[in-house]
Amino acid sequence: MRGNPQNPMTSAAHDHLRRALEQAGWRYTRQRQEVYDYLCSVACHPTAEGVYRAVRSHIPKISLATVYKALEALASAGLVTKLPDVSGAARFDGRTEAHYHFRCARTGQVQDLPVPYSPNLLDRLDPALIDTLRGQGFHVTGHSLELFGYFERG
Ligand SMILES: [Zn+2]
């Protein structure tokens, strides 16, 4: 099915991405489509370099700078999520709805936790937490949860 511009599902997906990018003030390009498609197809939350290596198999002439720009465009349009990493390269996630992660301390690889997102998690930690923080002048707008550890080597 790849490479068939008449495929209706592919066209609909391309239209969705084109509209979302253009609404955010970005141009739609085939490179951005490839980067987006790749991020939505993998569970590993790759770095920009990882995206670059994968997308190069479809677009051999794409540059790392173009991949960085595509990731910036997609993230700022709210189409993908950028996961900052204090000690290494940022990773990118094709899922934009709230969810949790676990991260391998050896490889840096990030995956989704197989549990539903809980908007009431803070209440369960302490029902007064949000009000307590508000009393200190801090307004809670959300939370994240990331487990860290490592995979045992076989
Ligand atoms: Zn994720």
Side-chain angles (χ1 to χ4, degrees):
M1 288 219 263
R2 266 195 57 230
N4 177 2
Q6 302 307 313
N7 181 291
M9 278 185 62
T10 303
S11 296
H14 290 190
D15 286 348
H16 164 74
L17 188 71
R18 180 187 299 274
R19 268 197 303 275
L21 280 171
E22 288 174 355
Q23 273 171 14
W26 296 93
R27 221 159 29 87
Y28 172 89
T29 65
R30 182 184 162 217
Q31 286 90 342
R32 290 172 186 172
Q33 181 73 56
E34 287 281 347
V35 167
Y36 180 70
D37 288 347
Y38 176 67
L39 280 177
C40 292
S41 72
V42 293
C44 66
H45 302 64
T47 61
E49 284 79 7
V51 174
Y52 170 63
R53 282 194 301 272
V55 170
R56 233 177 6 173
S57 66
H58 292 167
I59 308 178
K61 289 183 177 168
I62 197 167
S63 70
L64 182 58
T66 299
V67 169
Y68 271 111
K69 192 78 179 170
L71 290 166
E72 181 192 344
L74 292 166
S76 90
L79 291 157
V80 306
T81 306
K82 183 178 183 177
L83 309 173
D85 184 327
V86 289
S87 60
R91 291 182 167 266
F92 292 87
D93 190 344
R95 283 179 72 183
T96 54
E97 81 281 11
H99 63 284
Y100 302 123
H101 291 123
F102 65 102
R103 184 184 299 257
C104 176
R106 286 183 177 143
T107 65
Q109 190 183 96
V110 174
Q111 295 183 32
D112 291 345
L113 270 185
V115 297
Y117 179 80
S118 170
N120 303 320
L121 188 64
L122 298 183
D123 273 347
R124 282 196 258 155
L125 292 174
D126 177 355
L129 181 60
I130 290 174
D131 285 341
T132 301
L133 290 172
R134 189 174 294 136
Q136 297 172 16
F138 185 81
H139 293 267
V140 176
T141 57
H143 73 270
S144 67
L145 173 67
E146 183 177 283
L147 306 187
F148 47 88
Y150 56 89
F151 288 102
E152 281 187 31
R153 294 183 177 141

